[in-house]
């Protein structure tokens, strides 16, 4: 690691001899493989962006200029080159550095990222602010071809093109989203992306004319003007961008040259860089989708098949079971085929499987259209990414009362991906959607039967929310009831739903040994809330402890308090254990539960505190 060790500042990186850059890139790749194989994280995208990031840091000043990585999962090299090399062992660990850009972490991270397709819009805003406040910095957005399947990107591009603000958009095109990319733009890019032979020819041509810069420049101008007159440059040109590319994204000097050119233009410029996902680590080159996000692994052995039954797999299996006898059932995803457990379904029922790219808003409106015409769409989506579709949920699904089923995966804490990915808010925002039903299974058996119920027995919009990972000790199926008392008791009423049933039951068990008798009531239908049984219990025990993997707003606990107030039930004490304002940073789910007092001992401690509190006079 000779060269990498030398780099402490941006000036050090700029001082590296161009001849040494390929060696530096090799060292960075070894560093990434070594560290990410220990901590887990987004490997393949970062390996593909090594030369691109080095070039960006040699052309721009990451502290003064604003370099925005869309999604931000590919920003590890940027972190490495901006003072965080020694903290890489803490990547995605509790209190360690985040796996995404994080302004609290470094001035070189100008904006929080985690969700796709918004970097161009943020860049537009920063460029406008620069003009209005007469700032002196450059604005660059680095966007993947996957993120370009998101409509938001085009709103940003159209705006920048029209504003004429000098912004450089780098399109990092590896032909991949998490899986192979889909859609018309992906096809257009693959046409523009030329074969390696083209890059070889270009390199040789540049070398040949290296000593005659005037001739190179003259020929280049002739070629560009000819290209512009004879060949339409595609949508980027039409939107007001100077299109530069395609550039071999693993030829650092070529990327650097293109960036310098784009920077000098002082108009909107789009630099199309072609990269290979997983570059430099054979297993990741061969299976880039498997190496998109990884748990810890042994680099020499590569990823081992660590399949374990989780809620996503159970969802996928249930969809297969239902689709066998139902040609009207369709599964829809927004670039998350594997993550949502639909890969087997996609192979078995290709006509009933619809993959839309990173287009959650479109997915929801599209499902509404399908439902209106007699199909039952099930949109499998992570809780935090569904936030993107709020207006379509309200208007196209809610107000239209369309029977769209939302399979809301990763509801509650997701762990190491951190603050942008925690599924904290789905109950809050889905509760605002007209005519919405929200079901919360606690076990695989319940997920399976609640999904079936959502598809065949309920009408209007239905969300089934379930967590990341596996079920706990609770494995029963109580899905025929809206609320169910799992344990009787007279001192306190513990109300829970979904996966938090495990903590609630464990806490009640342990309280029992200490002479505190806790009643545990599990809510299966979170919305509309069927509260009679709970209110009866509260009249008896006078104490409420709610245990929820959701933010406080619109939580079951808060709604129960509202109902108690409305019905004149005076409580002796209340503890709402939940995700608070929903802003929860990275760590393992277990660590975060503990920190929030949501693990079994935290729940038990809260109950004890409550029971031993003096009754209000
Ligand atoms: C709104 C939203 N939906 C889904 C995701 C999940 N996601 C993270 S990275 C990714 C693929 C991005 O592809 P691309 O931009 O081409 O980057 P690459 O990983 O190929 O470098 C997806 C779908 C997300 N981050 N945000």
């Amino acid at each position: 690691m000779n060269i990498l060790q030398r780099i402490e500042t941006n000036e050090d990186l700029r001082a590296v001899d161009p001849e040494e850059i390929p060696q530096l890139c090799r060292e960075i790749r070894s560093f990434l493989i070594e560290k990410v194989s220990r901590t887990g994280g987004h490997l393949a995208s970062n390996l593909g962006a090594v030369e691109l990031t080095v070039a960006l840091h040699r052309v721009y000043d990451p502290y003064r200029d604003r370099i925005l990585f869309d999604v931000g999962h590919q920003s590890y090299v940027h972190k490495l080159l901006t003072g965080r090399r020694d903290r890489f062992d803490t990547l995605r660990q509790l209190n360690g550095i985040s796996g995404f850009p994080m302004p609290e972490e470094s001035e070189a991270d100008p904006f929080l990222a985690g969700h796709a397709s918004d970097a161009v819009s943020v860049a537009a805003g920063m460029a406008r602010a620069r003009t209005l406040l007469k700032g002196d910095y450059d604005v660059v957005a680095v966007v993947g071809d996957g993120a370009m399947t998101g409509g938001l990107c085009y709103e940003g591009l159209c705006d920048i093109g029209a504003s004429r603000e000098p912004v450089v958009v780098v399109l990092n095109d590896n032909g991949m989203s998490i899986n192979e990319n889909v859609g018309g733009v992906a096809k257009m890019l693959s046409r523009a992306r030329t074969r390696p032979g083209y890059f070889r020819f270009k390199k040789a041509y540049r070398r040949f004319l290296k000593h005659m810069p005037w001739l190179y420049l003259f020929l280049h101008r002739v070629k560009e003007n000819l290209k512009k007159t004879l060949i339409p440059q595609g949508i980027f040109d039409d939107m007001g961008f100077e299109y530069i590319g395609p550039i071999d994204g693993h030829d650092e000097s070529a990327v650097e040259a293109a960036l310098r050119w784009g920077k000098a233009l002082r108009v909107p410029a789009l630099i199309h860089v072609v990269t290979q996902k997983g570059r430099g680590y054979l297993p990741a080159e061969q299976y880039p989708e498997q190496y998109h996000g990884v748990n810890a692994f042994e680099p020499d052995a590569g990823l081992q098949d660590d399949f374990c039954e989780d809620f996503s797999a159970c969802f996928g299996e249930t969809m297969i079971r239902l689709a066998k006898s139902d040609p009207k059932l369709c599964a829809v995803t927004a670039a998350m085929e594997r993550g949502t457990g639909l890969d087997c379904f996609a192979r078995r029922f290709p006509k009933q499987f619809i993959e839309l790219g990173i287009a959650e808003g479109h997915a929801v409106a599209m499902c509404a259209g399908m439902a209106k015409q007699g199909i039952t769409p099930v949109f499998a989506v992570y809780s935090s990414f569904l936030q993107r579709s709020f207006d379509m949920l309200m208007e196209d699904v809610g107000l239209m009362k369309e029977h769209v089923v939302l399979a809301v995966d990763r509801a509650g804490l997701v762990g190491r991906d951190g603050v942008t990915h925690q599924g904290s808010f789905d109950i809050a925002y889905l509760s605002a959607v007209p005519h919405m039903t929200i079901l919360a299974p606690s076990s695989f058996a319940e997920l399976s039967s609640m999904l079936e119920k959502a598809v065949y027995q309920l009408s209007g919009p239905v969300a089934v929310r379930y967590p990341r990972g596996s079920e706990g000790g609770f494995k029963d199926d109580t899905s025929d009831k809206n609320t169910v008392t799992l344990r009787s008791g007279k001192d306190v009423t513990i109300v829970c739903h979904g996966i938090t049933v495990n903590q609630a039951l464990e806490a009640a068990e342990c309280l029992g040994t200490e002479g505190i008798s806790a009643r545990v009531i599990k809510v299966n239908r979170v919305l509309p809330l069927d509260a009679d049984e709970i209110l009866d219990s509260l009249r008896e025990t006078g104490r409420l402890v709610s245990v929820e993997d959701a933010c406080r707003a619109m939580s079951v606990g808060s709604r129960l308090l509202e109902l108690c107030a409305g019905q004149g039930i005076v409580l002796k004490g209340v503890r709402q254990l939940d995700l608070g304002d929903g802003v929860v940073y990275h760590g393992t789910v277990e660590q975060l539960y503990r920190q929030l007092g949501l693990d079994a001992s935290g729940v038990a401690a809260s109950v004890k505190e409550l029971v031993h509190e003096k009754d209000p006079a």
Side-chain angles (χ1 to χ4, degrees):
M1 298 283 169
N2 296 332
I3 307 173
L4 186 55
Q5 288 301 341
R6 275 192 344 236
I7 298 169
E8 297 299 337
T9 65
N10 189 241
E11 286 70 39
D12 297 338
L13 176 65
R14 284 161 194 255
V16 175
D17 191 296
E19 303 278 307
E20 289 185 312
I21 294 288
Q23 174 58 24
L24 171 64
C25 292
R26 278 193 290 277
E27 291 178 15
I28 291 175
R29 284 199 168 86
S30 304
F31 181 93
L32 286 176
I33 295 164
E34 188 207 319
K35 298 294 178 189
V36 179
S37 66
R38 280 197 224 142
T39 59
H42 288 94
L43 185 59
S45 309
N46 283 292
L47 289 173
V50 173
E51 287 81 5
L52 169 57
T53 314
V54 168
L56 279 165
H57 285 70
R58 279 167 69 88
V59 174
Y60 294 99
D61 176 346
Y63 295 95
R64 191 194 65 128
D65 298 321
R66 313 277 76 183
I67 305 175
L68 298 155
F69 288 93
D70 194 85
V71 185
H73 63 311
Q74 77 295 51
S75 64
Y76 294 3
V77 184
H78 164 78
K79 293 193 178 220
L80 176 56
L81 296 174
T82 49
R84 284 164 275 185
R85 187 179 62 216
D86 296 338
R87 297 187 64 201
F88 253 78
D89 289 325
T90 72
L91 183 74
R92 292 158 50 89
Q93 318 292 310
L94 190 70
N95 304 322
I97 57 172
S98 163
F100 294 91
M102 183 70 64
E104 291 102 311
E105 211 177 272
S106 165
E107 278 177 35
D109 293 6
F111 214 77
L112 182 75
H115 289 198
S117 315
D118 63 343
V120 179
S121 300
V122 176
M126 290 185 164
R128 276 215 175 84
R130 173 185 58 196
T131 302
L132 289 170
L133 301 174
K134 302 194 176 15
D136 178 22
Y137 53 87
D138 282 291
V139 181
V140 187
V142 182
V143 185
D145 58 305
M148 284 251 178
T149 54
L152 186 57
C153 237
Y154 299 89
E155 296 178 26
L157 288 171
C158 288
D159 178 28
I160 292 175
S163 74
R164 308 309 298 152
E165 288 285 354
V167 171
V168 168
V169 175
V170 178
L171 167 56
N172 174 16
D173 177 9
N174 54 25
M176 301 283 297
S177 192
I178 292 179
N179 288 81
E180 196 129 314
N181 208 4
V182 296
V185 176
K187 274 195 193 141
M188 182 202 85
L189 292 177
S190 85
R191 276 200 301 274
R193 204 187 303 136
T194 27
R195 289 190 196 107
Y198 170 78
F199 294 128
R200 276 200 298 276
F201 168 76
K202 216 165 149 181
K203 219 169 174 176
Y205 170 79
R206 263 197 287 144
R207 210 176 304 129
F208 178 66
L209 291 176
K210 198 169 153 190
H211 304 295
M212 294 176 272
W214 58 272
L215 182 58
Y216 177 79
L217 219 63
F218 172 73
L219 289 176
H220 185 74
R221 292 233 167 93
V222 171
K223 184 189 81 179
E224 285 304 304
N225 283 326
L226 257 177
K227 234 163 81 175
K228 276 201 172 143
T229 326
L230 300 177
I231 315 165
Q233 294 285 289
I235 55 169
F236 303 121
D237 207 45
D238 294 343
M239 282 193 285
F241 278 77
E242 281 298 320
Y243 172 88
I244 301 170
I247 312 288
D248 177 355
H250 299 300
D251 178 348
E252 194 275 340
S253 64
V255 180
E256 224 184 285
L259 288 171
R260 289 191 200 285
W261 182 8
K263 180 176 152 120
L265 285 173
R266 307 317 296 164
V267 294
L270 185 133
I271 303 177
H272 183 179
V273 172
V274 179
T275 59
Q276 182 187 19
K277 201 160 175 168
R279 175 84 164 199
Y281 177 56
L282 195 61
E285 287 182 6
Q286 284 171 331
Y287 306 105
E289 62 288 348
Q290 262 107 305
Y291 283 86
H292 177 86
V294 295
N295 292 323
F297 67 100
E298 185 51 58
D300 291 336
L303 288 180
Q304 301 303 305
D305 196 3
D306 56 355
F307 176 83
C308 73
E309 180 77 357
D310 59 9
F311 278 93
S312 310
C314 168
F315 162 74
E317 284 155 19
T318 309
M319 286 297 290
I320 290 175
R321 175 169 67 78
L322 301 181
K324 275 183 195 160
S325 54
D326 186 356
K328 286 194 196 154
L329 182 70
C330 282
V332 178
T333 87
M336 302 306 291
E337 178 183 321
R338 267 170 71 84
T340 55
L342 279 170
D343 31 5
C344 294
F345 182 97
R347 283 197 296 277
R348 293 221 17 205
F349 302 98
K351 289 202 179 116
Q352 287 163 260
F353 174 73
I354 300 156
E355 149 61 346
L356 297 169
I358 309 175
E360 291 85 0
H362 165 64
V364 168
M366 200 281 301
C367 286
M370 287 184 107
K372 179 78 187 149
Q373 298 306 113
I375 294 288
T376 314
V378 178
F379 177 31
V381 56
Y382 290 9
S383 164
S384 77
F385 301 151
L386 184 59
Q387 290 162 195
R388 213 15 98 74
S389 355
F390 188 60
D391 183 59
M392 294 78 188
L393 287 170
M394 294 295 286
E395 189 170 307
D396 302 308
V397 175
L399 292 177
M400 286 291 295
K401 291 192 198 165
E402 291 305 340
H403 185 213
V404 170
V405 177
L406 303 165
V408 185
D409 197 334
R410 284 10 176 220
L413 293 176
V414 299
R416 296 194 192 278
D417 277 340
V419 70
T420 51
H421 285 59
Q422 312 286 10
S424 306
F425 303 108
D426 58 275
I427 291 185
Y429 65 79
L430 290 172
S431 293
V433 175
H435 312 292
M436 178 60 78
T437 299
I438 305 175
L439 304 177
S442 302
S443 62
F444 296 157
E446 285 190 349
L447 170 57
S448 185
S449 38
M450 285 189 193
L451 186 63
E452 186 164 356
K453 185 172 175 175
V455 171
Y456 296 111
Q457 289 169 34
L458 300 177
S459 60
V462 188
V464 184
R465 82 181 297 265
Y466 47 93
R468 177 174 184 272
S470 193
E471 63 184 357
F474 181 88
K475 298 191 184 337
D476 298 348
D477 183 358
T478 65
S479 58
D480 55 330
K481 303 194 187 71
N482 293 332
T483 39
V484 53
T485 299
L486 297 176
R487 193 185 162 103
S488 55
K490 57 178 178 34
D491 296 329
V492 62
T493 306
I494 302 181
V495 177
C496 57
H497 52 78
I499 200 72
T500 59
V501 69
N502 295 296
Q503 295 98 292
L505 285 173
E506 200 184 318
E509 185 70 35
C510 132
L511 288 163
T513 62
E514 299 183 31
I516 297 174
S517 129
R519 187 176 306 189
V520 177
I521 305 185
K522 177 168 112 70
V523 175
N524 288 337
R525 197 182 71 190
V526 170
L527 192 83
L529 188 60
D530 189 352
D532 291 351
E533 200 172 332
I534 307 174
L535 295 178
D536 285 348
S537 168
L538 289 175
R539 282 190 191 94
E540 241 179 279
T541 64
R543 295 186 187 93
L544 168 66
V545 173
S546 53
V547 187
E548 303 181 69
D549 58 348
C551 70
R552 176 80 46 96
M554 299 306 290
S555 63
V556 170
S558 296
R559 280 182 291 147
L560 285 171
L561 291 182
E562 214 175 283
L563 288 170
C564 284
Q567 300 196 14
I569 303 171
V570 181
L571 297 174
K572 287 184 266 188
V574 178
R575 289 286 184 282
Q576 285 182 261
L577 307 177
D578 51 34
L579 305 183
D581 63 4
V583 181
V584 183
Y585 288 85
H586 47 279
T588 64
V589 172
E590 293 69 29
Q591 288 168 332
L592 298 173
Y593 271 151
R594 201 171 317 133
Q595 212 172 49
L596 291 157
L598 270 167
D599 61 339
S601 58
V603 175
S606 288
V607 171
K608 273 193 259 180
E609 210 180 82
L610 194 63
V611 169
H612 294 132
E613 254 171 27
K614 281 218 174 84
D615 291 353

